[in-house]
Amino acid sequence: MSKGKIYVISGPSGVGKGTIVKALISSHDDIKVSVSATTRSPREGEINGESYYFLTKEEFADTVAKDGFIEHAEYCGNSYGTPKKPVFDMLEKGIDVILEIEVQGGVQVMEKFPEAQGIFILPPSMKSLEKRLRGRQSETEEAILRRLETARYELSQVSKYDYFVVNGPLEQAVADVAEIIEKNRD
């Protein structure tokens, strides 16, 4: 049996990474999504162990100390990381794994695993990105402005990824990501 492949999907907060990934995996049984860990508080409707592993800062630091993450990074005042064991278990079973992670972590993964394919999701415009962030109605004005500032930096990192997809019409973005994955399979 061949090993699975890692696909890193990154882009600014609010660009629609999660929506694209959910649509993609709903029509592909042979792709799984890694569940990330974070120190941020859950948003309404998020479930521990399914949306994220919600950890205290102490639990997160302990996992880092035990080398339990493939990658980890600080993002807008919170820590995020990809737990190693579940990802490696899926890869060993020949399952392709999507890591839906922020840009700093995505670059770390692609440096550690050169065979990983990086897919950067772009917003149609900064104005549309801001509208999406504000539409969530889950963050303070300060947090939104911090995410927009971070997005400007992240957009400058697109060249570190193998592919980019503009999330304009959702169906097209999902089809573009699916095509990238299909063409990278053996």
Side-chain angles (χ1 to χ4, degrees), residues 68-82:
F69 291 122
I70 293 173
E71 58 77 32
H72 60 89
E74 189 83 13
Y75 184 81
C76 294
N78 292 299
S79 297
Y80 292 83
T82 303

Side-chain angles (χ1 to χ4, degrees), residues 121-139:
I121 308 299
L122 292 165
S125 67
M126 280 303 288
K127 188 172 228 150
S128 69
L129 182 64
E130 182 174 354
K131 184 178 178 182
R132 288 177 184 178
L133 286 171
R134 292 187 183 285
R136 286 179 174 174
Q137 298 182 337
S138 63
E139 300 184 62

Side-chain angles (χ1 to χ4, degrees), residues 96-164:
D96 289 339
V97 181
I98 291 176
L99 307 184
E100 179 195 328
I101 55 180
E102 50 68 49
V103 175
Q104 185 181 354
V107 171
Q108 284 180 40
V109 170
M110 291 183 294
E111 286 172 354
K112 288 181 188 174
F113 303 95
E115 69 279 8
Q117 296 295 302
I119 305 168
F120 196 100
I121 308 299
L122 292 165
S125 67
M126 280 303 288
K127 188 172 228 150
S128 69
L129 182 64
E130 182 174 354
K131 184 178 178 182
R132 288 177 184 178
L133 286 171
R134 292 187 183 285
R136 286 179 174 174
Q137 298 182 337
S138 63
E139 300 184 62
T140 65
E141 180 67 14
E142 180 183 337
I144 290 170
L145 293 175
R146 188 170 53 235
R147 287 187 184 274
L148 288 169
E149 183 179 320
T150 301
R152 286 182 189 86
Y153 165 75
E154 290 174 325
L155 291 169
S156 74
Q157 302 299 298
V158 71
S159 65
K160 295 182 178 179
Y161 283 72
D162 302 296
Y163 304 93
F164 69 88

Side-chain angles (χ1 to χ4, degrees), residues 24 28 172-185:
L24 182 69
H28 290 80
Q172 185 61 54
V174 173
D176 291 347
V177 173
E179 183 180 329
I180 291 166
I181 290 172
E182 286 304 319
K183 81 178 193 180
N184 280 286
R185 289 183 161 167

